[in-house]
Amino acid sequence: MIIAANLKTNLTRSATHKYMQEIEKYSKASSSEVIIFPAMTSLDNFKIDKTIVGAQNAYPTVNGAFTGEIGLEQLDEFGIKTILIGHSERRHILHESQEFLVEKFNYFKKLGFKIVYCVGEPKAIREAGKEEMLTYITKQYEGIDTTYENLIIAYEPVWAIGTGITPTLEDIEDVHTELKKKSPAPLLYGGSVKVNNAKEVLNLNNVDGILVGSAALYAEHFGLMIQYSDEL
């Protein structure tokens, strides 16, 4: 199982250090792979052994004139070799195109990074029916090497992120079954995963883990999710 947390624009560096120490305790006691994506200014050399630290975003460059971005030079400083690409907030709020996401993907693939690549659909597409939804998601696979050995895919229904609304367990399992046909990579579910539904989601067929957002900000709650993964 893979249990990942996207902390987004939350927690200071000091708070993140405390958070990482708490999560490391759960991580060491677990057989699951635990990945944390801290806020960009909270990246640091954490005193951890098992928990993996990833970057929420980076520009496909070593360094250069890219205001507001970080590149490989900044990731190397902290030994980071894991990155989140294609998150719905990067696609829909910051308007990153599929072409640019493919450029990022290929850049970090050449460097051997572990890539957590996100796909998902907005509410209007979901309501248009399963066929249109799958067509929409399939376009997000275009240009992506779905056989890349260090690839992890995360399915995130956009309309469920941060809303508290979660698809039914049957819907999650159905979409995951379809997406599993597109890639042999581990497939995570993300979208209003909380401590009170994580165990049920993790128990579904073709769900290889979870990508947790706001609910992961509570170290104790996220720690319980890590423990749930070992109980299945």
Side-chain angles (χ1 to χ4, degrees):
M1 284 283 182
I2 300 168
I3 311 298
N6 177 15
L7 304 185
K8 306 188 181 184
T9 311
N10 293 294
L11 303 186
T12 62
R13 182 171 294 179
S14 174
T16 302
H17 269 273
K18 294 177 182 177
Y19 178 89
M20 294 300 295
Q21 291 304 310
E22 287 299 311
I23 296 304
E24 178 72 358
K25 296 174 187 176
Y26 291 100
S27 190
K28 281 186 172 181
S30 174
S31 61
S32 292
E33 182 175 309
V34 178
I35 308 172
I36 307 293
F37 296 95
M40 305 305 279
T41 59
S42 296
L43 295 177
D44 209 340
N45 289 308
F46 300 103
K47 295 179 181 179
I48 54 176
D49 297 313
K50 190 169 185 288
T51 308
I52 297 170
V53 179
Q56 294 178 19
N57 176 56
Y59 201 81
T61 186
V62 175
N63 53 35
F66 303 100
T67 301
E69 296 282 346
I70 64 171
L72 184 63
E73 185 173 82
Q74 287 75 41
L75 300 183
D76 282 348
E77 180 180 10
F78 304 120
I80 292 173
K81 296 287 288 182
T82 300
I83 189 167
L84 192 66
I85 293 178
H87 191 279
S88 63
E89 290 158 5
R90 303 292 309 181
R91 292 178 187 269
H92 296 286
I93 297 176
L94 298 168
H95 307 295
E96 291 190 351
S97 67
Q98 183 65 18
E99 292 74 20
F100 183 49
L101 295 175
V102 170
E103 181 184 349
K104 280 190 187 181
F105 185 96
N106 289 335
Y107 181 85
F108 289 103
K109 173 192 166 186
K110 287 180 182 178
L111 295 167
F113 269 57
K114 184 190 299 290
I115 298 174
V116 179
Y117 181 73
C118 301
V119 300
E121 82 288 350
K123 187 176 182 181
I125 298 297
R126 165 61 70 113
E127 292 176 343
K130 181 178 177 179
E131 184 175 347
E132 187 163 339
M133 177 186 70
L134 290 175
T135 298
Y136 181 92
I137 295 174
T138 296
K139 291 179 180 178
Q140 296 172 349
Y141 282 79
E142 291 178 358
I144 300 301
D145 180 1
T146 58
T147 63
Y148 176 48
E149 61 183 4
N150 283 327
L151 172 63
I152 299 168
I153 295 174
Y155 166 63
E156 299 186 309
V158 180
W159 49 275
I161 298 173
T163 63
I165 303 171
T166 309
T168 65
L169 297 176
E170 291 77 13
D171 283 342
I172 295 171
E173 191 168 76
D174 183 46
V175 175
H176 273 242
T177 298
E178 293 295 332
L179 296 185
K180 270 291 190 179
K181 300 173 184 177
K182 300 180 181 297
S183 173
L187 181 59
L188 314 184
Y189 172 75
S192 288
V193 178
K194 294 179 172 59
V195 71
N196 62 356
N197 65 12
K199 185 181 289 189
E200 291 178 314
V201 172
L202 287 167
N203 201 36
L204 295 174
N205 292 324
N206 295 314
V207 172
D208 302 309
I210 49 180
L211 176 58
V212 188
S214 60
L217 294 175
Y218 305 94
E220 184 178 355
H221 286 189
F222 188 63
L224 285 173
M225 297 183 210
I226 296 170
Q227 289 180 338
Y228 291 159
S229 69
D230 288 310
E231 296 173 4
L232 301 173

